[in-house]
Amino acid sequence: MKISEDVVRHVAHLARLAVSEEDVHSLAPQLSNIIEYAEQLQRVDMTGVDPTSHPFPLENVLRSDEPKLGLPREVILANAPDDDGEQIRVPAVLEG
Amino acid sequence: MKEFPTIKQMLTSMAAGETQPSDWTRQSLTNIQKIDGKIGAFLRVNEEQALIHARQLDEMAVRWRKNLVSPSDSTRDLFGIPYALKDNMCTKGVGTTAASRILENYIPPYSATVAEKLTQANGVMVGKTNLDEFAMGSSTENSAFQKTHNPHHLNRVPGGSSGGSAAAVAAGMVPFALGSDTGGSIRQPAAFCGVIGVKPTYGRVSRFGLIAFASSLDQIGPIARTVEDVALVLRQISGHDPLDSTSAPASTEDFTRSLTGEVKELRIGVVRDMNAEGVNDQVKAAIDKAISVLSDAGAQVVEVTLPHSAYAVASYYLVAPAEASSNLARYDGVRYGRRVEGETLLEMYEKTRSEGFGLEVKRRIIIGTYALSSGYYDAYYKRAQQMRTLIRQDFDDAFQKCDVIAMPTAPSPAFAFGEKSADPLQMYLEDIFTIPANLAGLPGISLPCGVSDEGLPIGLQLLGKAFDESTVLRAAYGYEQLRGFVMPFPHGLEG
């Protein structure tokens, strides 16, 4: 399946990527090539084949329920791009 | 350049009291200073901290020696051994970038479990090595910061994504380094640089603190210059970790115990239906020769088939980007890493991610998002996962007949800069021999088995059953002892 430039723009937006028109131009044929290559999987009969999401499924991996301290606030804020000393600051989420 | 000492030789020398930990760390730092201007393996050299750490170990050296009952005890840990980490493994207080602009100024508040384990084993971390951004690539050309050159031929790539780690080891800057392997990222650069790289069984080594790319495929492993050295490092980094819920319950082992040099009765599987197209003639010849060396020594060569391996690249380049698109959603400019301000939250996300990620990372996020989007999920992502099952079954069947499977690590020796980067699909096809082991979770090793006419190393890949690293290492060690050629050291790097 060919991936059109519109699809590239749409999917990029879903992934919260702003791509330049120049990038859209080069990405559309490249992604088409990759997806067309992947289409060979359609040729194989997969009836009744379970999907593998993990090589060795470990089920119900639990840890003991003991409270533990997380990282201190100042340590976390040290990596934050913007903060007010207590919390991470971001642009307004709600309008009005 | 003269021969580079191995981990084993360093430990033996320190056990005899001939050298001290700081001698080796200083030598490693000196080599980095002299050579890395030409190679570009390191993103960060941890000079001051490494020397302080090494001097502390100097003070412990007398006690360490006294506790050695026999000389072989010196290999119980990695006392005073300098090493490097691929820069996608978090190191507390030491910047970790994944070779991405988006993490350029990130300083982890915690260390990866592998880093903790190597510190506990008394190793000395001298620096962080270059990689393809977020480990996405096969040439290290996708690093946002610098190129890494192949020590055997400076106009060639070192392979990737662990190109910095492989080049640092090959050029004698460190005796070992850790890499991570999602689709061949330890084995292929090891092959290109003429060193040894192990991708352990999925779950063998904790991924805690490894910057995630594709979580069901990623695995950390060692790169070094002898099979014995990789076995020593693997022993230290393996084992269950409660901080990684996908880490296997299996505890670590003394992998050197299987290094007997004996290959008699070992059944080596050769995959005839996979070699067919696109493999360089010199690679083919070197692999055939390696197999005959093993068979001349009494190993049994059996033909096996992996009929679905032809679909491995197609499956991988849907599964890995799908997982990556989800894993990389965390880089939103809010809690850590780079932020580019915008009027609204949405604008901030888009600007941050667009300026922070390189083109290959964006390409994979878009493929992954597409493959997971409604209407395409069944056709792409689910089919790719079903193919994973078939590939796994192929290996199960093959390992009924053999103990290890031998094949090339890569279809060709190291290629030139820019040779494959223009066409992403061509670059992806480079991974044809390494990807199946990741999809099936199996252990594999790459070790040198020859050099091309141009003096470029060629890698032999051996794959084994899940959690049977011992047999893989036994076969690799046997071959290493028998192969009758010495991997030449790179020359002309100093000055």
Side-chain angles (χ1 to χ4, degrees):
Chain A
M1 183 182 311
K2 281 261 177 274
I3 306 231
S4 69
E5 296 193 353
D6 277 347
V7 170
V8 174
R9 280 187 210 101
H10 173 66
V11 177
H13 176 71
L14 290 178
R16 299 294 178 257
L17 291 169
V19 281
S20 67
E21 275 310 294
E22 197 188 330
D23 286 349
V24 169
H25 250 30
S26 60
L27 283 167
Q30 286 169 351
L31 298 178
S32 299
N33 273 349
I34 295 163
I35 292 294
E36 273 166 19
Y37 179 80
E39 267 160 18
Q40 58 180 289
L41 294 175
Q42 318 295 334
R43 296 202 300 257
V44 185
D45 181 12
M46 304 273 197
T47 324
V49 178
D50 286 332
T52 293
S53 56
H54 249 260
F56 313 109
L58 293 164
E59 274 163 38
N60 299 333
V61 178
L62 303 173
R63 58 165 174 77
S64 54
D65 187 19
E66 289 158 8
K68 265 195 309 190
L69 286 177
L71 290 168
R73 182 194 302 214
E74 62 273 17
V75 171
I76 294 298
L77 290 182
N79 267 304
D82 189 15
D83 67 272
D84 66 1
E86 292 188 331
Q87 300 177 75
I88 291 167
R89 208 181 346 232
V90 292
V93 178
L94 301 173
E95 284 172 34
Chain B
M1 180 177 286
K2 59 181 188 309
E3 203 165 302
F4 310 128
T6 63
I7 295 173
K8 176 77 177 293
Q9 287 164 341
M10 290 178 180
L11 289 169
T12 308
S13 160
M14 285 186 281
E18 296 160 4
T19 52
Q20 298 260 62
S22 61
D23 296 333
W24 296 113
T25 293
R26 223 176 294 121
Q27 191 186 80
S28 170
L29 292 168
T30 307
N31 286 349
I32 293 170
Q33 208 177 23
K34 276 198 294 203
I35 294 170
D36 204 39
K38 282 190 181 162
I39 303 293
F42 282 87
L43 289 176
R44 181 184 304 268
V45 181
N46 209 22
E47 186 162 355
E48 208 173 315
Q49 278 167 282
L51 281 172
I52 291 169
H53 187 194
R55 283 195 204 104
Q56 288 167 348
L57 293 172
D58 284 355
E59 282 168 31
M60 291 163 57
V62 174
R63 212 180 56 203
W64 176 74
R65 272 197 293 275
K66 225 186 270 169
N67 286 336
L68 305 175
V69 179
S70 75
S72 65
D73 280 355
S74 65
T75 58
R76 270 185 317 199
D77 67 3
L78 298 167
F79 188 79
I81 302 295
Y83 69 91
L85 292 177
K86 184 178 182 179
D87 205 26
N88 61 352
M89 296 172 208
C90 288
T91 42
K92 187 176 176 179
V94 179
T96 301
T97 66
S100 180
R101 294 267 173 226
I102 215 160
L103 288 174
E104 196 164 4
N105 299 312
Y106 175 61
I107 300 175
Y110 64 95
S111 283
T113 295
V114 288
E116 292 283 357
K117 281 182 180 254
L118 290 176
T119 302
Q120 276 162 27
N122 291 314
V124 179
M125 208 276 285
V126 297
K128 308 291 293 286
T129 57
N130 197 22
L131 62 149
D132 287 295
E133 184 177 3
F134 285 104
M136 296 179 188
S138 310
S139 67
T140 313
E141 290 170 288
N142 294 333
S143 166
F145 303 119
Q146 66 194 40
K147 271 186 190 172
T148 297
H149 298 262
N150 191 315
H152 290 274
H153 196 313
L154 296 177
N155 295 330
R156 304 282 173 139
V157 302
S161 64
S162 310
S165 287
V169 172
M173 293 187 266
V174 280
F176 83 89
L178 296 189
S180 63
D181 191 315
T182 305
S185 283
I186 290 174
R187 290 161 288 158
Q188 183 254 23
F192 279 16
C193 291
V195 292
I196 300 175
V198 178
K199 177 226 170 270
T201 309
Y202 183 85
R204 179 64 103 168
V205 178
S206 168
R207 293 184 297 110
F208 179 75
L210 171 68
I211 294 176
F213 160 17
S215 306
S216 79
L217 305 163
D218 297 342
Q219 187 61 193
I220 295 173
I223 297 174
R225 285 189 296 268
T226 63
V227 174
E228 190 173 24
D229 278 6
V230 288
L232 290 174
V233 178
L234 186 60
R235 177 190 188 178
Q236 298 300 332
I237 61 173
S238 296
H240 177 69
D241 180 9
L243 296 174
D244 172 3
S245 63
T246 62
S247 101
S251 53
T252 190
E253 299 170 23
D254 179 359
F255 294 102
T256 57
R257 247 184 262 153
S258 65
L259 310 184
T260 57
E262 189 55 73
V263 297
K264 271 200 191 83
E265 315 294 311
L266 206 61
R267 297 171 305 162
I268 314 278
V270 178
V271 195
R272 288 297 172 203
D273 55 347
M274 212 173 157
N275 280 350
E277 50 188 309
V279 182
N280 173 292
D281 287 340
Q282 295 187 47
V283 170
K284 223 182 266 180
I287 300 300
D288 287 348
K289 192 167 167 221
I291 291 163
S292 63
V293 164
L294 286 165
S295 99
D296 289 349
Q300 208 182 2
V301 175
V302 291
E303 286 202 10
V304 295
T305 56
L306 296 173
H308 295 95
S309 57
Y311 300 101
V313 174
S315 168
Y316 177 87
Y317 278 98
L318 292 171
V319 170
E323 292 187 17
S325 70
S326 161
N327 271 327
L328 271 60
R330 74 190 69 181
Y331 303 101
D332 55 9
V334 173
R335 291 149 301 160
Y336 50 81
R338 186 188 184 118
R339 174 190 293 188
V340 182
E341 297 294 349
E343 291 292 310
T344 62
L345 194 63
L346 182 63
E347 199 182 309
M348 183 191 94
Y349 290 156
E350 291 198 339
K351 281 189 167 174
T352 296
R353 291 164 62 78
S354 300
E355 292 185 27
F357 291 142
L359 194 55
E360 179 61 23
V361 173
K362 289 180 192 166
R363 200 178 281 131
R364 295 203 195 188
I365 290 174
I366 294 174
I367 298 171
T369 306
Y370 181 79
L372 290 175
S373 60
S374 80
Y376 297 107
Y377 182 95
D378 281 352
Y380 294 110
Y381 184 62
K382 191 177 167 203
R383 279 199 160 253
Q385 288 191 313
Q386 287 172 309
M387 181 50 72
R388 249 184 119 165
T389 306
L390 297 176
I391 286 169
R392 179 82 207 279
Q393 285 169 357
D394 283 353
F395 277 112
D396 287 347
D397 293 345
F399 284 123
Q400 299 287 322
K401 293 190 223 152
C402 65
D403 304 305
V404 294
I405 295 175
M407 63 173 84
T409 308
S412 67
F415 46 87
F417 289 98
E419 193 179 325
K420 301 195 186 221
S421 48
D423 182 351
L425 185 57
Q426 277 312 305
M427 188 73 96
Y428 297 172
L429 292 170
E430 178 65 22
D431 303 337
I432 175 116
F433 293 115
T434 45
I435 277 174
N438 297 83
L439 291 172
L442 304 176
I445 192 170
S446 176
L447 72 167
C449 69
V451 285
S452 73
D453 294 344
E454 292 165 293
L456 296 166
I458 296 171
L460 166 71
Q461 180 177 222
L462 299 170
L463 301 176
K465 295 172 203 162
F467 298 102
D468 194 16
E469 282 86 350
S470 283
T471 304
V472 173
L473 290 164
R474 178 185 153 207
Y477 183 78
Y479 172 69
E480 186 187 41
Q481 305 307 304
L482 293 162
R483 68 185 170 188
F485 93 102
V486 179
M487 186 61 225
F489 291 94
H491 47 79
L493 297 178
E494 288 186 44

